[in-house]
Amino acid sequence: MKALITGANKGIGFAIAEALGKSGVGILVGARSESHGQEAVKKLSAQGIPASFVKIDLNDFDTIHNAAEEIDQLDLLINNAGIPDSHKADRPDLDTKKTAFDYTTDDLRETLEVNFLGTHEMIRSFLPKLAANGKIVNITIPIQPTNHWHPLAYQTSKAAQNVMAMNYALEFKNTGSSKQIFGVMPGGVATDLNGHTAGAMDGYIKSAEEAGEFIAQLALDTENHNGQMIQHDGKIVTDYEAQIHG
Ligand SMILES: NC(=O)c1ccc[n+]([C@@H]2O[C@H](COP(=O)([O-])OP(=O)(O)OC[C@H]3O[C@@H](n4cnc5c(N)ncnc54)[C@H](OP(=O)(O)O)[C@@H]3O)[C@@H](O)[C@H]2O)c1
């Protein structure tokens, strides 16, 4: 089996690569930085995991198209790369104190470009390369604003990504395809994305390794997850189910 994981150079993406690799899956390390991607390849190879680097920058569609041309067939496409907000030098990546009033339209555009449009381009470009029973797994988040959790740009971009996944799932079902697309919401995971402070949020903090294992198990099991949004405790977010499993 072969898996392409975007943003696999660090954080949850690297942990998914390790967990899938230990189960015998060959890993294509998608990363926008060649040096960081090659470092990850070295670390995986040192553990006996077959891995190679593929340049994928969600802001540069040429890298996505070039990668899709080079790759013959994929069993798993893991859309993991993502940003919580537009990156500004004067504030952390994920500032949970910001309110809707603090976001500019540019913040939303920059975040949507990576998490939604970049991921959409990945799915469109790699679908022809996906094995007949291949799976697309999006790493995502809950989109209901609460007082603890209301990052407008991040939630909006992932909401769009989730709707896209549901639409593809519906088409897979309607055309009798054995392909699957689903989302996994790993909950709070201590990574660079949140300055390793996710523990402050809601108490279900995981390490990247725990999240990677959880996601890899779902990617490899024999269940039909098409159209599901699966949260950190394994429960399915039923709001999304709509027509897919009806
Ligand atoms: N951490 C959490 O609590 C949590 C919870 C739920 C869902 N998630 C989701 O999990 C995914 C991974 O997050 P993480 O926590 O592991 O964060 P992370 O450690 O910051 O890793 C993010 C990865 O995405 C890559 N990336 C960012 N922008 C990119 C672009 N334009 N093109 C290609 N790659 C890009 C980064 O590459 P560089 O190293 O080059 O920046 C990095 O490899 C994200 O989609 C996030 O929304 C995270």
Side-chain angles (χ1 to χ4, degrees):
M1 281 184 93
K2 205 193 290 175
L4 169 60
I5 306 162
T6 61
N9 54 294
K10 67 176 185 177
I12 297 171
F14 181 73
I16 299 169
E18 277 186 317
L20 287 175
K22 285 176 190 160
S23 298
V25 179
I27 305 297
L28 297 168
V29 172
R32 57 181 168 174
S33 148
E34 171 148 18
S35 60
H36 292 163
Q38 294 290 10
E39 269 171 43
V41 167
K42 248 194 225 165
K43 284 193 221 159
L44 293 168
S45 304
Q47 299 178 59
I49 297 168
S52 51
F53 165 72
V54 180
K55 186 173 175 70
I56 303 267
D57 182 341
L58 297 185
N59 284 122
D60 177 358
F61 287 3
D62 285 348
T63 64
I64 298 176
H65 301 157
N66 292 341
E69 250 176 52
E70 280 168 23
I71 292 165
D72 298 334
Q73 185 169 301
L74 271 186
D75 301 287
L76 296 172
L77 169 61
I78 314 281
N79 287 311
N80 164 77
I83 55 171
D85 200 338
S86 64
H87 288 270
K88 300 278 189 298
D90 60 346
R91 60 181 196 232
D93 284 356
L94 180 62
D95 181 352
T96 50
K97 292 193 182 68
K98 275 166 76 174
T99 76
F101 301 139
D102 297 320
Y103 286 88
T104 65
T105 303
D106 278 344
D107 290 335
L108 266 65
R109 184 180 295 113
E110 288 169 33
T111 309
L112 277 154
E113 274 177 3
V114 176
N115 296 349
F116 176 48
L117 299 178
T119 302
H120 178 257
E121 197 61 23
M122 283 297 297
I123 293 171
R124 261 193 83 73
S125 304
F126 281 94
L127 198 51
K129 302 298 177 88
L130 199 64
N133 60 352
K135 299 178 191 176
I136 301 169
V137 184
N138 291 347
I139 312 308
T140 189
I141 61 167
I143 55 148
Q144 297 82 0
T146 66
N147 277 331
H148 296 296
W149 179 247
H150 51 112
L152 176 65
Y154 190 29
Q155 282 189 316
T156 309
S157 67
K158 292 286 189 173
Q161 193 196 88
N162 295 351
V163 171
M164 169 174 67
M166 293 299 104
N167 274 268
Y168 270 87
L170 189 63
E171 303 306 347
F172 288 159
K173 185 190 175 209
N174 287 345
T175 55
S177 169
S178 301
K179 292 177 178 143
Q180 297 183 38
I181 182 167
F182 58 96
V184 182
M185 302 174 175
V189 183
T191 67
D192 288 350
L193 180 141
N194 45 42
H196 297 258
T197 60
M201 288 185 277
D202 293 345
Y204 51 81
I205 179 71
K206 285 190 180 74
S207 65
E209 291 72 24
E210 286 170 298
E213 288 284 347
F214 176 65
I215 294 160
Q217 274 173 24
L218 290 166
L220 293 177
D221 73 21
T222 54
E223 306 284 313
N224 180 5
H225 293 298
N226 190 44
Q228 292 180 341
M229 289 287 149
I230 304 166
Q231 50 178 51
H232 61 94
D233 54 5
K235 289 196 182 125
I236 293 158
V237 184
T238 48
D239 293 359
Y240 283 103
E241 291 244 284
Q243 302 294 324
I244 314 287
H245 293 282

